[in-house]
Amino acid sequence: MTATAVGDLADRVAGPVLRPGEEGYEDELAGFDLAVSQRPAIVVGATGPADVLAAVRYARDAGLAVGAQATGHGITVPADDALLITTRRADGVRVDPADRTAWLEAGAIWSRVLREAAPFGLAPLAGSAPAVGAVSYTLGGGLGVLGRRWGFSADHVRRLDIVTSDGQLRVVTAEEHPDLFWALRGGGGNFGVVTGMQVELVELAELYGGGLFFPGEAAAEVLSALLAVGRDAPDELSLSAALMLFPDLATVPSAVRGRWCCQVRVSSTGTSERCEQVIAPLRRAATPLLDTVRTMPVTDVGTIHNDPTTPRATNTRSLVLHSADDDAVATVLRHAGPDASFGVELRQLGGALAREPAVPNAVGHRHGAVTVYTTAYPHPAGSRASDGAAEQALLDDLAPWSDGGALVNFLAGPHVTPADVRAAYEPEIWTRLVEIKTRWDPGNVFRINHNIPPGATDAATPGTTSESHLDGVVS
């Protein structure tokens, strides 16, 4: 890779093109997750599809892998033989209120989409953390606080514009390249770099939700009540609970500052009266230290979970449970506590999450009852201080309730293994994903992600293989 060649690339893109040691390089690749030290050979700050096209074509000719990053929540693999495309400059959002859709550029974050859609009484199926990039979140499935009512974010994608490994910009829909359309919605960034996405919006101006913060000592009773309520809850209600030690910081409410708590997250698209009737057993289980449940504009949806936005080292695990009972709660509490090095979330699934969308996709394990998510606390010794063993011990002990799977969006950090990624999909979905990966990216150019490696192939041109063997997968 010569300076002249890199200079030629810089002449073809509007954004910056940077190499290690150059001014601006570190700032350009910086993101939310500090657990992985990224050292790509080149960083391209894309301003739109033309920049992405030029970058992918350059990487193809130079033999470099390609990764894409909006906010940096999902990068999991350090690579010095890679070209990293940052998309945060391409953050445009266009709302079509008549069609109830929004067009999102590659770097758009959910908070921007929420703001643009709100004046029309519409909302996207955003995540619990609106500062996350909308495209990568959706490609991984997208499980948000509105999921039990409307399903996964990936279920509501109408169109994707994508640059594939042969350096072509393609429009992907249920009718055009249906194999890619199936795979991209759940299979992540394995098939190309998405430059734009059209998503359906739902009619929603406000919701009833917030947090019930209970003492950690009452966690057994609270979690037991949560499971009982969740089994019969209407689809309009989404529930989760986090066991975590709140930091002793002035920015944390005094009622929970420095305390180990069981925080129940409530989100309802129904009436406040209906929600309160359903969650009454939770309020009877213990007395909350803090209660923030209220009617809120949908633009405040991020306050329900209050996920961190300050960059931090991430080491997370995920496990889908086919069922959960008081013995499962007791198992969680044997590992989670005020002295644990990690927090735990239990998020109830079901409702629309368990129903196949009108156009099937590659989202895995949608029929689970509960997903368990662990995340290591920031460690004073640095981003690599935790090896994930304590979190994995919890998940191992939950095996009797597990379907053996994970949700791919809840896997992050340097300890994610190929086996973890494969477990995020049922065997039949994995097999189809590998077939489609082999057709569209036989050289595994797009491997800086939760990678689905290609199989053996004789195909020379992406997209030319017959799609007849996918009958029944894509409508």
Side-chain angles (χ1 to χ4, degrees):
M1 180 183 2
T2 65
T4 300
V6 176
D8 290 342
L9 172 62
D11 290 339
R12 297 200 300 270
V13 302
V17 176
L18 302 165
R19 292 188 292 177
E22 294 182 344
E23 184 179 357
Y25 173 88
E26 299 290 347
D27 290 339
E28 187 64 32
L29 60 81
F32 175 82
D33 190 353
L34 304 179
V36 176
S37 178
Q38 300 183 85
R39 304 302 300 176
I42 302 175
V43 184
V44 176
T47 63
D51 288 356
V52 175
L53 270 170
V56 171
R57 289 171 179 173
Y58 175 89
R60 176 197 60 191
D61 295 341
L64 298 174
V66 175
Q69 173 179 306
T71 60
H73 283 76
I75 290 290
T76 58
V77 181
D80 57 9
D81 61 344
L83 182 151
L84 178 65
I85 300 171
T86 58
T87 62
R88 61 178 177 267
R89 292 172 180 81
D91 63 349
V93 175
R94 298 194 310 272
V95 173
D96 182 343
D99 195 36
R100 291 198 307 179
T101 61
W103 178 257
L104 320 181
E105 293 185 351
I109 62 176
W110 281 126
S111 59
R112 171 83 184 273
V113 189
L114 285 161
R115 289 197 308 271
E116 297 290 340
F120 306 103
L122 300 173
L125 295 187
S128 59
V132 168
V135 168
S136 56
Y137 169 89
T138 302
L139 296 183
L143 172 58
V145 298
L146 306 177
R148 281 178 45 85
R149 172 75 181 273
W150 283 293
F152 288 92
S153 181
D155 299 343
H156 296 267
V157 175
R158 288 194 185 177
R159 167 180 164 174
L160 295 149
D161 287 5
I162 180 174
V163 178
T164 49
S165 64
D166 58 344
Q168 299 298 314
L169 178 63
R170 289 180 162 87
V171 174
V172 179
T173 68
E175 292 76 34
E176 299 180 76
H177 309 300
D179 60 335
L180 266 183
F181 192 61
W182 177 83
L184 282 164
R185 296 172 301 130
N190 275 281
F191 309 94
V193 178
V194 171
T195 63
M197 176 175 74
Q198 184 187 36
V199 297
E200 298 168 347
L201 304 174
V202 299
E203 291 187 17
L204 187 67
E206 62 181 26
L207 67 159
Y208 188 70
L212 296 172
F213 298 75
F214 296 97
E217 295 76 16
E221 294 80 9
V222 171
L223 292 178
S224 178
L226 178 82
L227 294 177
V229 168
R231 291 186 192 103
D232 299 318
D235 292 359
E236 68 199 37
L237 178 63
S238 292
L239 294 168
S240 67
L243 297 165
M244 61 183 297
L245 180 66
F246 283 86
D248 188 7
L249 298 174
T251 54
V252 176
S254 58
V256 298
R257 188 181 305 156
R259 295 194 61 162
W260 181 60
C261 296
C262 179
Q263 177 192 358
V264 173
R265 288 84 170 260
V266 178
S267 172
S268 174
T269 58
T271 66
S272 58
E273 294 80 9
R274 168 73 166 165
C275 180
E276 285 295 339
Q277 288 174 359
V278 176
I279 68 172
L282 286 166
R283 294 191 180 279
R284 292 195 296 267
T287 302
L289 300 167
L290 179 65
D291 182 346
T292 65
V293 178
R294 71 223 185 261
T295 299
M296 66 177 72
V298 71
T299 48
D300 286 351
V301 66
T303 65
I304 296 175
H305 282 233
N306 269 325
D307 290 332
T309 57
T310 303
R312 60 190 296 179
T314 303
N315 176 23
T316 67
R317 294 285 190 272
S318 169
L319 190 67
V320 176
L321 308 184
H322 56 68
S323 61
D325 54 23
D326 288 348
D327 288 339
V329 169
T331 300
V332 170
L333 293 177
R334 283 201 302 270
H335 293 267
D339 297 323
S341 61
F342 59 95
V344 181
E345 182 194 70
L346 285 78
R347 190 175 300 200
Q348 296 226 302
L349 303 176
L353 295 166
R355 294 192 282 272
E356 291 292 331
V359 181
N361 57 40
V363 172
H365 303 287
R366 65 167 64 239
H367 301 297
V370 173
T371 182
V372 178
Y373 164 73
T374 69
T375 184
Y377 297 131
H379 195 285
S383 63
R384 300 184 184 278
S386 172
D387 62 5
E391 297 96 305
Q392 190 60 49
L394 163 61
L395 301 189
D396 290 344
D397 283 353
L398 286 172
W401 297 272
S402 171
D403 70 356
L407 295 181
V408 71
N409 274 3
F410 291 92
L411 297 173
H415 307 301
V416 176
T417 69
D420 294 331
V421 177
R422 185 161 188 165
Y425 304 97
E426 290 87 348
E428 63 274 14
I429 292 179
W430 178 262
T431 297
R432 289 167 180 156
L433 285 170
V434 170
E435 291 173 351
I436 296 167
K437 173 74 170 184
T438 304
R439 180 179 310 121
W440 287 97
D441 186 18
N444 206 12
V445 172
F446 304 108
R447 59 181 180 269
I448 313 301
N449 48 39
H450 291 312
N451 192 229
I452 300 167
T457 179
D458 296 325
T461 304
T464 58
T465 305
S466 169
E467 298 174 359
S468 62
H469 66 291
L470 293 173
D471 288 349
V473 179
V474 183
S475 65

